[in-house]
Amino acid sequence: AKMSYTINQLQIGQNAQFSKTISESDVYLFAGVTGDMNPAHLNAEYSKGGVFHERVAHGMLSASLISTVLGTELPGKGTIYLQQQVKFVAPVHFGDTITATVEVIEKNIERNRVKLKTTCTNQNGQVVVACEALAMPPKES
């Protein structure tokens, strides 16, 4: 598989994706790495009284899968991630399989910038994270 795409190689509508099943250990490791120990993510008893009635994964855990696609698939290795809008649309439950999809929607060849539609969906096709990213593709593939 191709490792990366330059601005001239990228096509509008081109897309790539990465999927991961979010386990309980993923959520605990993410909490440890980030320091976000919100009981909504970690405490089953506390979560019963919360809005989702059970523990849910950190929104940024799913959003970080977008970074995986940008840096490994599209545009790929050497990409500089410049900007990300994030809208958390629905909760991610333990055991959900999240697919991050990145699609090229705009190219600025002069400035070497690419705008991408970024979406995370669960195994039921429900959108959980949505918005756009701006990235600088590598100068050579």
Side-chain angles (χ1 to χ4, degrees):
K2 190 156 174 48
M3 291 296 290
S4 60
Y5 298 87
T6 64
I7 191 82
N8 290 314
Q9 293 167 333
L10 290 166
Q11 304 294 323
I12 302 295
Q14 187 175 354
N15 64 76
Q17 51 189 207
F18 174 79
S19 296
K20 177 173 176 43
T21 300
I22 306 299
S23 69
E24 182 174 33
S25 62
D26 290 328
V27 174
Y28 275 79
L29 287 166
F30 193 83
V33 167
T34 61
D36 182 352
M37 303 292 180
N38 184 336
H41 307 305
L42 307 178
N43 185 317
E45 277 304 307
Y46 174 90
S47 301
K48 286 178 185 172
V51 66
F52 303 120
H53 308 295
E54 65 178 349
R55 294 173 298 170
V56 295
H58 303 73
M60 291 304 286
L61 175 52
S62 297
S64 68
L65 301 180
I66 295 164
S67 181
T68 303
V69 181
L70 292 176
T72 65
E73 298 283 339
L74 187 74
K77 69 176 176 139
T79 296
I80 306 297
Y81 199 175
L82 297 171
Q83 188 177 312
Q84 177 72 56
Q85 291 176 293
V86 181
K87 185 176 180 188
F88 301 109
V89 183
V92 173
H93 302 282
F94 291 27
D96 281 356
T97 298
I98 302 303
T99 300
T101 303
V102 166
E103 180 186 344
V104 178
I105 56 173
E106 204 176 291
K107 288 175 21 166
N108 183 332
I109 293 169
E110 298 74 31
R111 296 195 63 224
N112 192 37
R113 300 284 191 275
V114 60
K115 190 183 281 188
L116 307 115
K117 179 182 176 190
T118 56
T119 312
C120 294
T121 53
N122 65 19
Q123 66 279 3
N124 303 316
Q126 180 185 21
V127 174
V128 296
V129 176
C131 273
E132 291 180 356
L134 186 66
M136 189 165 38
K139 291 286 190 192
E140 51 191 63
S141 56

